Amino acid sequence: MPSVNSKEDIQRAAELIAQADALVVTAGAGMGVDSGLPDFRGRDGFWRAYPALGRERIEFTRIACPQSFMDWPERAWGFYGHRLALYRQTAPHAGFDILRRWAGRMLQGGAVFTSNVDGHFQRAGFDADLVHECHGSIHHLQCLESCTSEIWPADAFLPEVDQDQCLLRNALPRCPRCGGLARPNILMFGDFGWLDARERRQARALSQWLTQIERPVVIELGAGTAVPSVRSFGHQVLLHWRARMVRINPREWAVPHAEDVGLADGALAALQALDALL
């Protein structure tokens, strides 16, 4: 499908990237759509992805919260177990490789700030020490009751999910210390028990890296305004490092400054168009 963006916009975006000494990738849920991951945009989008929850009129905020693990752990892990298995079996799209290649050519390299919990930047070969997952990672677990501050990999948990009922069929993951229920190390809605030590280590590493750069370009991909974590971080980089931004979003592509460029497109299509010039 032909791009809706003008050649001038794509050229200006490519020039911003070419002059930068560092690449700051900021990514929201829209980054994963081109990999085939479901778009939870709106209630209908969520229920299309999880029809069992749609039949019972269970909204995203009701399942994606700690209380759901207390009320019906098999259902909560049916939802998160399905997502964990899906993220494991889905390959990151070619746009990840394009970004990694651009970062590799820049003097100070690149780093990532993302609200996504899928771990796809690490799988695509980005330096794990420079990926800040501000909402945590589905590939890590913690105790639901926070009996310990330990956060451990979810590698040993292989969920078997009845997708029609959105229910976990095999054994629930357990805390290795108390034997109680384990939950994903993800910041959920109404979540006062999230253990953020891993996220804070990532934040410190990213902050340290930012002190070394001089002419960064921020490439924002698929980050909307409903949950503004990603946009807020990108705007801070623009403010404190006098960076320029290339915002890629099929719906909300307006940019904060006239020198920035907004591209009304999906992540993969826009990155491929830019890569053809770079």
Side-chain angles (χ1 to χ4, degrees):
M1 189 171 77
S3 173
V4 299
N5 303 295
S6 71
K7 291 181 180 180
E8 289 77 13
D9 285 341
I10 295 173
Q11 181 66 47
R12 283 199 305 125
E15 290 169 358
L16 291 180
I17 296 165
Q19 60 80 39
D21 74 333
L23 180 65
V24 181
V25 178
T26 63
M31 181 61 175
V33 171
D34 290 313
S35 298
L37 298 178
D39 182 0
F40 292 167
R41 182 178 172 83
R43 176 190 296 169
D44 293 339
F46 174 61
W47 285 343
R48 277 195 302 273
Y50 292 94
L53 303 182
R55 289 194 298 270
E56 299 179 36
R57 319 303 285 178
I58 296 174
E59 298 189 14
F60 183 44
T61 54
R62 279 185 55 204
I63 193 69
C65 67
Q67 190 64 42
S68 69
F69 286 88
M70 301 173 192
D71 295 342
W72 194 356
E74 292 82 5
R75 167 56 60 78
W77 266 118
F79 171 62
Y80 278 104
H82 175 265
R83 290 179 68 188
L84 175 58
L86 178 65
Y87 295 158
R88 283 172 172 169
Q89 71 189 25
T90 301
H93 62 74
F96 287 86
D97 291 331
I98 291 172
L99 291 166
R100 185 169 51 81
R101 184 158 30 84
W102 292 349
R105 295 201 299 252
M106 294 184 184
L107 181 64
Q108 301 296 346
V112 176
F113 182 96
T114 182
S115 59
N116 297 337
V117 301
D118 54 31
H120 276 195
F121 279 100
Q122 293 92 326
R123 278 190 59 190
F126 281 81
D127 183 352
D129 293 334
L130 289 176
V131 177
H132 180 185
E133 298 160 302
C134 67
H135 292 168
S137 167
I138 201 169
H139 302 287
H140 291 78
L141 303 176
Q142 66 172 82
C143 180
L144 179 63
E145 298 297 333
S146 301
C147 80
T148 173
S149 60
E150 182 181 358
I151 299 166
W152 64 95
D155 299 353
F157 177 46
L158 305 175
E160 299 173 12
V161 176
D162 180 341
Q163 293 188 43
D164 185 59
Q165 299 299 320
C166 193
L167 290 173
L168 185 72
R169 296 186 298 194
N170 58 329
L172 293 161
R174 295 289 174 181
C175 171
R177 178 172 177 178
C178 72
L181 184 65
R183 52 160 278 186
N185 182 232
I186 291 173
L187 178 62
M188 306 183 211
F189 294 97
D191 195 349
F192 300 100
W194 180 48
L195 300 178
D196 65 352
R198 181 175 175 274
E199 183 269 339
R200 284 188 285 110
R201 285 195 299 271
Q202 293 177 333
R204 287 194 296 270
L206 181 56
S207 293
Q208 177 60 35
W209 177 81
L210 285 169
T211 64
Q212 306 170 32
I213 65 179
E214 295 181 0
R215 300 185 317 280
V217 61
V218 177
I219 300 186
E220 181 192 282
L221 304 121
T225 55
V227 180
S229 310
V230 172
R231 289 206 167 192
S232 295
F233 175 81
H235 288 180
Q236 288 299 309
V237 176
L238 264 62
L239 178 64
H240 294 293
W241 279 269
R242 297 183 180 178
R244 297 273 55 91
M245 172 179 282
V246 177
R247 170 168 285 154
I248 299 171
N249 193 304
R251 303 182 186 93
E252 300 173 285
W253 62 87
V255 289
H257 302 290
E259 296 177 55
D260 302 324
V261 180
L263 299 178
D265 219 333
L268 179 57
L271 291 173
Q272 289 175 329
L274 290 167
D275 197 45
L277 293 179
L278 290 165

